[in-house]
Amino acid sequence: MESLFQHFRKDEQPFIEQVTGWMIDVEDRYTPKLTDFLDPRQRFIVTSVVGSSDIQVAASGLFEDAERQRVLLYPSYYEPQKEDFQITVFDLNYPTKFVTLQHPDILGSMMSIGLDRSKFGDIRIDGQQIQIAVADEVSSYLQANFTTAAKVKVHLEEAGSEESFIKVAEDWTEESHTVSSLRLDTVISSVYNISRQKASALINGGKVKVNWTVQEQPSFELNESDMVSSRGYGRVKMMEIEGRTKKDKIRLLVGRLETAK
C-alpha cells in the first residue's frame, strides 16, 4: 500500500484506501461493486489502483462523453449492462419566460436539500433545456424535494430515450508545452501565455480550480488527468506527462478548452 501511495497526493490516500476496499469486496463476494459518480481524476485513480488485477472496470454517466461517471468494478466472468450503472436522467422544467437558470443555481439548490455531490452526475444545459443525471437510489427523493431553484419553481420529469439527451459540443485542442516544473502557476503561465505573477494572482484570488476544488497554492503540483479551470481563461486537461528534455524540462501534453473572456 505504501508503494501505491507514493504515486499520488497525500490527500488522495483515503480515496485510494476506499478503492482498495471495493476491490476486496469484489474479490471476496465475487460480485460487481458500483460506485457513486466520480470525476475524471478519481476514475484515473481507480484504474491505476486496480492495475493488472483480475478485476475489470467500466464506467458510465449515461450522457455521451459524460464528465462525471459511475464506475463498476466486476469479476472477469461478468458482462456489464447499461442498467448496472443505475442512473436516471431528468428533464428540469421551469418557467423559462421569467428566468434563465444557470449551472450554479441548479447545483446549489440540489446541494441545499441534503444531496451529496457524488449522487448526481453531469448537469447539462442547452439554451433553456436542462438535464441532470442522478443515481437511481436518490431519484425519488430528488423528485419530491427539488422544487425550487433561484427562487422559481422547478419540476423534474424523467427524460425520454437517449436520443433526447443533451450533447455537448466542446472543442478541445491538444497542445504540447515544455515547463520547468508541474507547479500550478508554472503550468497556467505556459498554457495561457501569461506571466507567472499573473498566474499566481489568479490562484491567490480563488479563481482557479483543480479537479473542481478551488486551489489557492501556486506551488500545488499537478498530475496526469488533473482538470484545471481558470475563470476567464477556460479549462485545461493534464493529458500526459511525456518525459523530460535534455535540459531536464518537462514535456507536457494538455487538452485546452477556451472560454469567452
Side-chain angles (χ1 to χ4, degrees), residues 42-207:
Q42 290 172 316
R43 297 200 301 277
F44 173 79
I45 292 173
V46 171
T47 304
S48 301
V49 173
V50 170
S52 58
S53 72
D54 289 336
I55 295 173
Q56 308 296 307
V57 176
S60 173
L62 273 198
F63 289 121
E64 183 179 320
D65 298 322
E67 195 166 74
R68 301 179 64 86
Q69 301 182 24
R70 301 191 85 169
V71 171
L72 191 74
L73 287 78
Y74 59 95
S76 54
Y77 79 88
Y78 193 80
E79 293 187 9
Q81 306 296 317
K82 184 180 71 174
E83 295 75 21
D84 291 329
F85 294 96
Q86 299 176 28
I87 303 170
T88 300
V89 170
F90 286 110
D91 283 308
L92 188 148
N93 300 316
Y94 67 102
T96 54
K97 288 183 180 179
F98 305 108
V99 68
T100 299
L101 292 178
Q102 306 292 334
H103 193 283
D105 300 323
I106 302 158
L107 181 60
S109 297
M110 291 176 73
M111 301 282 281
S112 72
I113 62 171
L115 270 186
D116 191 273
R117 183 64 184 92
S118 64
K119 291 298 182 184
F120 50 98
D122 287 8
I123 298 169
R124 294 211 167 170
I125 301 176
D126 182 12
Q128 294 178 326
Q129 184 186 13
I130 299 174
Q131 292 179 333
I132 308 165
V134 180
D136 283 354
E137 60 266 27
V138 299
S139 60
S140 296
Y141 176 85
L142 185 68
Q143 270 192 300
N145 293 279
F146 181 34
T147 55
T148 60
K151 298 181 180 180
V152 299
K153 289 187 176 181
V154 299
H155 174 67
L156 293 178
E157 285 185 11
E158 191 169 337
S161 65
E162 291 189 22
E163 286 72 27
S164 69
F165 292 175
I166 295 173
K167 294 177 174 60
V168 291
E170 294 181 334
D171 188 15
W172 289 89
T173 304
E174 285 191 10
E175 297 178 353
S176 293
H177 291 266
T178 303
V179 293
S180 58
S181 78
L182 293 173
R183 281 174 54 117
L184 181 58
D185 58 352
T186 302
V187 173
I188 285 178
S189 172
S190 178
V191 172
Y192 295 122
N193 195 25
I194 59 177
S195 68
R196 280 272 297 275
Q197 261 189 328
K198 188 164 187 178
S200 293
L202 283 172
I203 297 163
N204 290 326
K207 295 180 179 179

Side-chain angles (χ1 to χ4, degrees), residues 11-12 80 128 145 187 232 247 252:
D11 63 357
E12 291 174 333
Q128 294 178 326
N145 293 279
V187 173
K247 294 184 178 180
L252 189 61

Side-chain angles (χ1 to χ4, degrees), residues 235-251:
R235 303 167 77 188
V236 174
K237 291 178 184 176
M238 299 285 287
M239 297 178 69
E240 187 178 353
I241 298 168
E242 298 181 311
R244 290 183 177 269
T245 67
K246 291 180 180 178
K247 294 184 178 180
D248 208 32
K249 300 274 190 177
I250 300 167
R251 291 197 306 269

Side-chain angles (χ1 to χ4, degrees), residues 223-242:
N223 286 329
E224 280 185 354
S225 79
D226 280 338
M227 181 78 77
V228 180
S229 58
S230 307
R231 197 180 308 165
Y233 288 87
R235 303 167 77 188
V236 174
K237 291 178 184 176
M238 299 285 287
M239 297 178 69
E240 187 178 353
I241 298 168
E242 298 181 311

